[in-house]
Amino acid sequence: DRFLRPAAEVVADLAFGRERNLERVALTGGEPTLHPDLLKIIAAARKLGYRQVTLVTNGVTLSIPGVLDRLVAAGVTAVGISFDTPDKATAESLWQSPVFDRVVEAFDAVARHPHLLLGSIAVVTRRNAAQLPDLARWWADRNDAMDNLFVPNLDFVMPEENAWQHREDLVPRLADVIGPVREALAIAHARDLPLTFRGFPLCLLPGFEPYSF
């Protein structure tokens, strides 16, 4: 795969970071769980001295029994799962894949490792904006049912690449989504879930400024 970085190259970058006293690293993609040497990369990061190794994933592979166990054994300390909406039809339309149930199972897998820090990222688009309050409730229910430290995030869609090509369908006006964003933040914080946000002007979300990511 011409887009797959060799493990040696990734480990060299990790060593470069440690030489500059970095202590946290996030493994992203693409989809990092598809890298054949992911376990070796994670183990190398911990051996180099990284205190936090975060896996940012779509969650699908984590639904396979034993996968997260092996990742944790290699040294993963935190997981971030992309999750845009609790509405199955909307989610699978956005993801262009019928994997909603498997992504939900990924949250269950993380909950079986309560020492893991859990994050979840929702990209706010035209198609899921109205569902953000329900998403906040879904996340809060998950938070109530697990012992992990859980910090989800609402991320305004970046108008680039695929989102730019489909901007009429995906990229909203801020004025059209700030209401649901504000409501989602209020719901989450009322239930002691530290929902954060990124890409929204602070002046439009008074009272939530400390939660800007």
Side-chain angles (χ1 to χ4, degrees), residues 103-120:
V103 177
V104 171
E105 289 171 10
F107 283 88
D108 296 333
V110 173
R112 291 192 287 273
H113 294 271
H115 66 284
L116 290 176
L117 171 65
L118 175 61
S120 187

Side-chain angles (χ1 to χ4, degrees), residues 139-206:
W139 274 335
D141 289 343
R142 284 276 155 176
N143 188 52
D144 290 344
M146 64 174 57
D147 294 324
N148 308 70
L149 176 59
F150 181 28
V151 184
N153 181 71
L154 298 176
D155 216 351
F156 187 76
V157 60
M158 293 292 292
E160 59 186 15
E161 299 180 356
N162 183 65
W164 178 251
Q165 294 175 17
H166 300 90
R167 56 190 177 278
E168 295 300 324
D169 181 42
L170 293 177
V171 182
R173 296 172 62 248
L174 278 170
D176 294 334
V177 300
I178 204 66
V181 169
R182 187 183 299 112
E183 184 178 353
L185 288 165
I187 289 168
H189 289 224
R191 294 183 57 180
D192 296 322
L193 177 65
L195 178 58
T196 61
F197 61 93
R198 181 170 60 177
F200 299 94
L202 296 183
C203 61
L204 298 179
L205 294 168

Side-chain angles (χ1 to χ4, degrees), residues 11 14 18 38-50 74:
V11 173
L14 290 169
R18 283 298 295 135
L38 179 60
L39 295 177
K40 294 179 181 178
I41 291 169
I42 294 167
R46 294 306 300 273
K47 186 176 181 179
L48 284 165
Y50 284 91

